[in-house]
């Protein structure tokens, strides 16, 4: 039975929890993009000449590139000259050295988002880098991590303190001209996290970055770089929120991961950018390039993502499996309610021998939401005995939403084995009635069924975040069923 | 407990129930027997509040309240339980997690604190033993990949956990072998009590050898055509529904 619109409208009022605005004085770059702005940003961050040149090269490439149109998403034309490319809380002029120096208004903001930044209060075993608009405002547990040689710091500081590492790896996985948004990001990227795990070290705590867009008419262009040296391990999590605003806001991030021999990176995302209202007004346009390079043999990269926010999601966390016996994994839950559109998936590029990849994608569409799974598996000539397993499930709630699956397969080595499974189901009236007959409210029933559907992916998340993600799935679906 | 008065129900404009009258008192077990398609499941669904069944006439009082006005989850919270003829699967949701959510939703309605994990596990172990439901099944996803018999036992397990005031069991016996039937019947009998009522829907008389009803009704073509005691079920077994139907012809 179909969802009834009145009931959808009825329960919708609750909406988005993270939609408040922090009232803090910020410093802006004037709107628009030019070489001057690129120089302005670079200067603000006191960057070395080579990085400025790198940015300018990216900017010039970007000018020659066209916005991609192949994704199954529609949105108003973005006016790149109407966006502000730099915004930072004024108090951050000289980056605070300790948490006591962080503006209380900012601490309160993160507190309200459920991310206390005082080390004595934070989640046990999780270090946090908090990025507010274009700058990092606080990074916890840095000293403790430094004891074991782990570098976890804002990107802009890594440029100063570890230029050799940044220079070596920046753009090594996602080249500046990789795509339109990656080139844009390379030109104007603001802040993000930098992580280096030395040889043989198992990072003693979860690392996480919370991205917060606050300023109006401002884009966020963060850059994250994680390097896991031989035999090391790290689990990293990012979370994202933004205020409710009537106009769209652009977010174009680049994330690069590198694993050396025997190393492993587990990268989890809970993306809850403001999705726009029920009529599709406002919301974040999320165009993100994420890619990991399994450089060394027997290394492993796992992407786990729970994508509930954003008006538009355009995102394909991928793995280049270069080292022999390396492993790539992609676990994804994407939810589109109301007018949200998500075009997301992954690319697994098998180069080395005996490389293995697993793709588990769960798409949930409700309201007028549209979901596309776009996944590519490429087995190159040298990838003897490569394996891929792809499972792609869609769940529809109501009859106005849509789910689409676009798999690309390119096999150049006949010893490889690929398996693909896909299902589409609809939350049945029968399932809902069964739950309600046992005393569950309709909302709880939907949340229960959806979480069951997503379980295979949720169980890949670190415990604390799995609970959060579970709640988020429930909240994001409020009003989805009548 | 339950009073059905002149209940008429249509599905897609087609009359299915044509004037049902039925009264069940606390402590009683009533059985409804009838051929396939006579409207037994329709009656069960209407009582539980499923969408798509239009009541065109009549009313139903449950504990003195207008049952038909209540949302399905409210009926459940007020102690009405339906054992489904075809229980549905909910992949990825463990049986025990599901039941905990259900038990605590109902406790909340009654103004009681939620059961904590330990008390809940204790209770579920005890009740699972009652219907000989293996531990492994309580942990699997709700009805997912369960055999027909396992699903039915799971329904009775859920009933035992929820301790309803009025249980409507829709063909809980069909698809069960004789041993499973006995287990299910024992589970049901264990729940009989002065404060509880049951409406047992069945196609065959054999279930009533194990769950002995106080009253038996025969439902044919949307109407209760005969009401009697256990003897009526025996007569049906001998003469079949055709016999009862013929006896009714003027
Ligand atoms: N959802 C439905 N849509 C259409 N017809 C239905 C529906 N449910 C029941 N019916 C019809 O109503 C009649 C009674 O069905 P049901 O109550 O399931 O009978 P029983 O349980 O006694 O076998 C049948 O003719 C059946 O086809
Ligand atoms: Mg039936």
């Amino acid at each position: 039975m179909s969802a009834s619109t009145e009931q959808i409208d009825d329960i919708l009022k609750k909406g988005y929890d993270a939609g408040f605005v922090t009232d803090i004085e910020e410093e802006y770059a004037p709107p628009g993009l030019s070489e001057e702005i690129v120089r302005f940003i670079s200067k603000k961050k006191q960057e070395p000449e080579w990085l400025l040149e790198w940015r300018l090269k990216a900017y010039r490439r970007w000018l020659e590139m066209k916005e991609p149109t192949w994704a199954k998403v529609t949105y108003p034309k973005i006016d790149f000259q109407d966006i502000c490319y730099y915004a930072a809380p004024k108090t951050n002029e000289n980056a605070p050295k300790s948490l006591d120096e962080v503006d209380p208004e900012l601490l309160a903001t993160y507190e309200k988002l459920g991310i206390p930044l005082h080390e004595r209060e934070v989640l046990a075993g999780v270090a946090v880098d908090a990025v507010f608009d274009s700058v990092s405002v606080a990074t916890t547990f840095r000293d403790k991590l430094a004891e074991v040689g782990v570098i976890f710091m804002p990107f802009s500081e890594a440029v100063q303190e570890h230029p050799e590492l940044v220079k070596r790896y920046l753009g090594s996985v996602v080249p500046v001209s990789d795509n339109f948004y990656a080139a844009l990001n390379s030109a104007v990227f603001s802040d993000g996290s930098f992580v280096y795990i030395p040889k043989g070290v198992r990072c003693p705590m979860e690392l996480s970055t919370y991205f917060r867009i606050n300023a109006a008419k401002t884009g966020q262009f963060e850059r994250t770089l994680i390097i896991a040296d031989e035999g090391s391990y790290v689990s990293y999590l990012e979370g994202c929120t933004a205020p409710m605003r009537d106009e769209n806001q652009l977010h174009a991030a680049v994330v690069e991961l590198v694993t050396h021999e025997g190393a492993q990176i587990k990268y989890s995302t809970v993306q809850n950018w403001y999705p726009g209202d029920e009529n599709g007004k406002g919301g974040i346009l999320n165009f993100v390039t994420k890619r990991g390079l399994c450089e060394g043999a027997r290394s492993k990269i796992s992407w786990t993502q729970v994508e509930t926010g954003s008006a538009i999601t355009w995102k394909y966390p991928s793995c280049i499996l270069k080292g022999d016996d390396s492993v790539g994994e992609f676990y994804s839950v994407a939810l589109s309610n109301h007018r949200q559109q998500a075009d997301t998936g992954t690319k697994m590029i098998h180069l080395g021998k005996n490389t293995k990849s697993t793709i588990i994608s769960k798409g949930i569409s409700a309201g007028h939401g549209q979901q596309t799974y776009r996944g590519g598996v490429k087995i190159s000539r040298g990838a003897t005995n490569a394996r891929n397993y792809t499972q792609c499930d869609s769940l529809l709630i109501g009859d106005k939403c849509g789910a689409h699956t676009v798999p690309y397969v390119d096999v150049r080595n006949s010893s490889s084995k690929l398996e693909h499974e896909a299902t589409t189901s609809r939350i049945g009236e029968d399932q809902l009635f069964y739950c309600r007959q046992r005393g569950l409210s309709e909302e709880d029933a939907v949340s229960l069924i959806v979480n069951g559907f997503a379980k295979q992916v949720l169980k890949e998340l670190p415990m604390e975040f799995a609970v959060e993600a579970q709640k988020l799935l429930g909240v994001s679906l409020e009003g989805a069923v009548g | 407990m339950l009073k059905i008065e002149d209940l008429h129900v249509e599905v897609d404009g087609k009359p299915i129930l044509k004037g049902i009258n039925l009264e069940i008192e606390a402590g009683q077990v009533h059985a409804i027997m009838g051929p396939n398609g006579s409207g037994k499941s329709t009656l069960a669904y209407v009582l539980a509040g499923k969408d798509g069944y239009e009541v065109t006439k009549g009313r139903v009082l449950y504990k003195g309240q207008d049952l038909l006005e209540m949302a399905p989850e409210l009926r459940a919270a007020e102690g009405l339980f339906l054992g489904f003829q075809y229980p549905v699967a909910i992949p990825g949701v463990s049986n025990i997690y599901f039941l905990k959510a259900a038990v605590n939703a109902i406790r909340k309605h009654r103004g009681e604190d939620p059961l904590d994990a330990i008390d809940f596990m204790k209770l579920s172990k005890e009740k699972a033993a009652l219907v000989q439901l293996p531990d492994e099944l309580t942990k699997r996803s709700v009805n997912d990949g369960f055999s027909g018999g396992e699903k039915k036992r799971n329904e009775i397990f859920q009933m035992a956990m929820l301790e309803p005031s009025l249980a409507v069991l829709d063909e809980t016996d069909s698809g069960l072998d004789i041993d499973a039937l006995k287990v299910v019947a024992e589970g049901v009998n264990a729940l009989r009590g002065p404060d509880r009522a049951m409406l047992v829907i069945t196609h065959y008389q054999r279930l009533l050898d194990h769950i002995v009803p106080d009253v038996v009704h025969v439902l044919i073509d949307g109407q209760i055509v005969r009401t009697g005691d256990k003897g009526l079920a025996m007569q049906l077994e001998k003469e079949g529904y055709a016999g009862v139907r013929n006896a009714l012809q003027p």
Side-chain angles (χ1 to χ4, degrees):
Chain A
M1 186 138 301
S2 67
S4 108
T5 17
E6 301 116 72
Q7 269 165 299
I8 291 179
D9 293 345
D10 267 3
I11 333 172
L12 239 170
K13 307 296 177 246
K14 173 143 190 295
Y16 186 72
D17 267 351
F20 62 93
V21 177
T22 303
D23 189 10
I24 192 165
E25 229 189 312
E26 296 205 51
E27 183 187 22
Y28 297 88
L33 186 50
S34 60
E35 280 208 15
E36 236 166 276
I37 291 291
V38 174
R39 286 176 194 278
F40 171 88
I41 294 169
S42 186
K43 191 160 174 226
K44 268 280 157 216
K45 299 192 173 285
Q46 297 162 9
E47 285 173 356
E49 190 60 25
W50 68 264
L51 190 50
L52 172 63
E53 284 309 318
W54 193 83
R55 285 177 181 274
L56 288 172
K57 192 177 108 199
Y59 172 67
R60 288 170 200 138
R61 292 300 301 266
W62 178 75
L63 285 176
E64 296 159 8
M65 296 171 89
K66 281 211 164 58
E67 235 176 301
T69 53
W70 44 261
K72 197 176 158 47
V73 291
T74 52
Y75 50 94
K77 184 129 190 65
I78 301 172
D79 180 354
F80 290 93
Q81 296 306 334
D82 195 34
I83 293 172
C84 169
Y85 290 86
Y86 184 86
K90 271 213 167 133
T91 45
N92 197 255
E93 190 69 53
N94 299 301
K97 293 287 166 283
S98 80
L99 282 169
D100 300 337
E101 296 172 54
V102 176
D103 188 310
E105 195 66 40
L106 288 174
L107 292 179
T109 297
Y110 284 91
E111 194 91 35
K112 209 160 152 188
L113 294 170
I115 314 146
L117 293 176
H118 284 296
E119 292 187 1
R120 58 185 176 278
E121 293 164 12
V122 298
L123 289 168
V126 183
V128 178
D129 184 17
V131 177
F132 191 86
D133 289 331
S134 304
V135 293
S136 168
V137 293
T139 309
T140 64
F141 292 115
R142 270 168 71 169
D143 301 342
K144 196 165 173 218
L145 289 165
E147 281 168 26
V148 286
V150 170
I151 304 171
F152 178 44
M153 58 172 60
F155 200 93
S156 49
E157 281 180 56
V159 170
Q160 310 296 337
E161 292 183 29
H162 302 282
E164 70 302 335
L165 283 174
V166 175
K167 207 167 171 178
R168 176 167 166 205
Y169 289 103
L170 179 67
S172 69
V173 188
V174 179
V176 291
S177 55
D178 187 79
N179 68 71
F180 182 83
Y181 293 104
L184 177 64
N185 173 285
S186 302
V188 301
F189 74 85
S190 36
D191 223 333
S193 299
F194 176 84
V195 177
Y196 173 79
I197 315 291
K199 276 185 196 171
V201 170
R202 192 180 167 88
C203 188
M205 55 179 83
E206 307 264 353
L207 304 185
S208 70
T209 304
Y210 275 89
F211 294 101
R212 174 74 176 166
I213 296 179
N214 188 60
K217 294 211 153 219
T218 299
Q220 183 153 353
F221 306 93
E222 83 266 4
R223 188 101 198 176
T224 299
L225 177 53
I226 303 179
I227 302 135
D229 218 327
E230 289 171 24
S232 68
Y233 169 87
V234 63
S235 167
Y236 175 91
L237 183 120
E238 60 170 359
C240 335
T241 57
M244 292 158 84
R245 297 189 186 280
D246 283 348
E247 71 274 9
N248 291 123
Q249 278 182 284
L250 179 62
H251 172 254
V254 172
V255 175
E256 297 178 280
L257 312 182
V258 179
T259 48
H260 290 285
E261 193 175 323
Q264 188 182 341
I265 298 176
K266 185 174 166 59
Y267 191 106
S268 315
T269 303
V270 176
Q271 186 263 108
N272 185 27
W273 296 117
Y274 176 54
D277 71 7
E278 63 270 35
N279 301 313
K281 198 167 172 53
I284 301 293
L285 308 178
N286 192 31
F287 295 90
V288 171
T289 306
K290 289 182 165 173
R291 196 173 302 149
L293 171 64
C294 286
E295 169 77 50
R298 294 178 310 284
S299 66
K300 178 175 174 182
I301 290 177
S302 306
W303 297 102
T304 304
Q305 58 173 20
V306 176
E307 305 276 323
T308 59
S310 297
I312 304 286
T313 297
W314 180 101
K315 183 180 167 190
Y316 316 90
S318 301
C319 297
I320 302 170
L321 304 171
K322 186 174 165 199
D324 290 346
D325 299 287
S326 60
V327 177
E329 293 175 339
F330 174 74
Y331 298 97
S332 169
V333 178
L335 181 154
S336 320
N337 194 7
H338 305 311
R339 303 276 169 174
Q340 283 177 277
Q341 308 167 56
D343 192 302
T344 185
T346 183
K347 232 190 272 175
M348 293 291 177
I349 300 166
H350 293 251
L351 301 177
K353 295 187 185 67
N354 306 317
T355 45
K356 248 187 1 206
S357 61
T358 302
I359 299 172
I360 309 282
S361 162
K362 304 268 181 177
I364 302 155
S365 324
H368 291 83
Q370 292 292 328
Q371 278 277 335
T372 301
Y373 166 78
R374 192 179 299 277
V377 179
K378 182 175 172 157
I379 312 283
S380 48
R381 234 176 282 284
T384 308
N385 286 324
R387 299 262 180 289
N388 165 265
Y389 174 74
T390 299
Q391 183 189 333
C392 191
D393 299 324
S394 308
L395 184 68
L396 303 173
I397 305 174
D399 55 8
K400 296 187 192 74
C401 54
H404 320 273
T405 303
V406 190
Y408 305 91
V409 175
D410 179 4
V411 178
R412 307 278 170 96
N413 184 313
S414 60
S415 65
S416 61
K417 274 208 183 79
L418 284 78
E419 273 179 86
H420 184 101
E421 286 177 32
T423 66
T424 299
S425 52
R426 205 173 277 278
I427 285 197
E429 188 198 0
D430 287 348
Q431 276 178 328
L432 280 177
F433 178 62
Y434 190 76
C435 294
R436 295 178 77 187
Q437 208 304 303
R438 297 302 184 249
L440 300 177
S441 71
E442 192 156 37
E443 306 256 292
D444 288 348
V446 171
S447 167
L448 188 93
I449 294 166
V450 165
N451 276 298
F453 173 75
K455 186 156 175 194
Q456 245 180 313
V457 173
L458 296 180
K459 73 178 173 43
E460 297 295 326
L461 287 174
M463 188 59 181
E464 304 86 334
F465 302 113
V467 174
E468 197 55 42
Q470 221 166 11
K471 274 195 222 134
L472 200 52
L473 283 177
V475 170
S476 303
L477 275 170
E478 246 164 58
V481 174
Chain B
M1 177 79 69
L2 182 75
K3 192 166 183 205
I4 304 175
E5 294 173 0
D6 195 27
L7 183 67
H8 291 252
V9 175
E10 292 183 0
V11 177
D12 294 336
K14 180 179 151 207
I16 308 290
L17 298 183
K18 304 161 185 170
I20 303 282
N21 289 288
L22 183 67
E23 188 167 354
I24 305 179
E25 280 166 35
Q28 285 190 324
V29 173
H30 286 226
I32 289 192
M33 304 185 66
N36 278 333
S38 58
K40 302 185 296 295
S41 293
T42 301
L43 178 61
Y45 284 144
V46 170
L47 293 177
K50 190 171 178 173
D51 269 353
Y53 294 82
E54 198 196 343
V55 176
T56 52
K57 203 174 164 204
R59 63 171 190 164
V60 181
L61 293 178
Y62 171 64
K63 294 181 175 173
Q65 307 169 67
D66 184 349
L67 184 72
L68 302 177
E69 284 301 306
M70 294 156 73
E73 57 269 35
L74 182 58
R75 302 184 196 196
E78 287 286 328
L80 189 146
F81 177 91
L82 170 60
F84 285 72
Q85 185 174 1
Y86 305 107
V88 298
I90 309 176
V93 177
S94 86
N95 216 359
I96 206 79
Y97 180 86
F98 174 71
L99 256 182
K100 193 165 176 212
V103 166
N104 285 334
I106 291 175
R107 289 179 70 92
K108 189 171 165 197
H109 175 78
R110 292 195 203 125
E112 296 167 0
D113 288 336
L115 278 186
D116 65 29
I118 295 173
D119 286 344
F120 181 80
M121 286 318 287
K122 215 175 113 194
L123 185 69
S124 77
K125 279 219 155 54
E126 182 189 312
K127 301 296 187 185
L130 187 73
V131 288
Q132 301 179 15
L133 193 71
D135 216 30
E136 183 254 330
L137 282 189
T138 66
K139 290 179 187 136
R140 281 237 301 265
S141 294
V142 179
N143 295 321
D144 198 18
F146 285 29
S147 72
E150 286 168 344
K151 283 183 189 169
K152 296 303 174 72
R153 256 188 287 168
N154 195 30
E155 292 293 286
I156 301 304
F157 167 57
Q158 294 188 15
M159 175 177 80
M161 289 294 290
L162 295 169
E163 304 191 315
S165 322
L166 173 65
V168 179
L169 302 178
D170 191 0
E171 299 212 24
T172 301
D173 53 330
S174 46
L176 295 185
D177 61 33
I178 189 69
D179 292 329
L181 186 75
K182 277 187 190 154
V183 169
V184 164
E186 273 166 37
V188 172
N189 287 330
L191 274 170
R192 282 177 88 151
D195 301 328
R196 264 189 209 124
M198 292 190 190
L199 184 59
V200 179
I201 294 172
T202 179
H203 190 69
Y204 305 104
Q205 185 269 339
R206 60 172 195 166
L207 177 68
L208 305 182
D209 289 340
H210 303 279
I211 305 172
V212 182
D214 300 298
V215 184
V216 175
H217 309 273
V218 179
L219 182 72
I220 294 181
D221 194 21
Q223 287 181 307
I224 292 179
V225 296
R226 293 277 296 274
T227 294
D229 59 11
K230 189 178 180 302
L232 180 57
M234 312 271 235
Q235 186 191 341
L236 269 181
E237 181 78 353
K238 247 187 256 136
E239 299 169 17
Y241 291 110
V244 176
R245 213 183 317 233
N246 292 339
L248 289 169
Q249 303 291 327

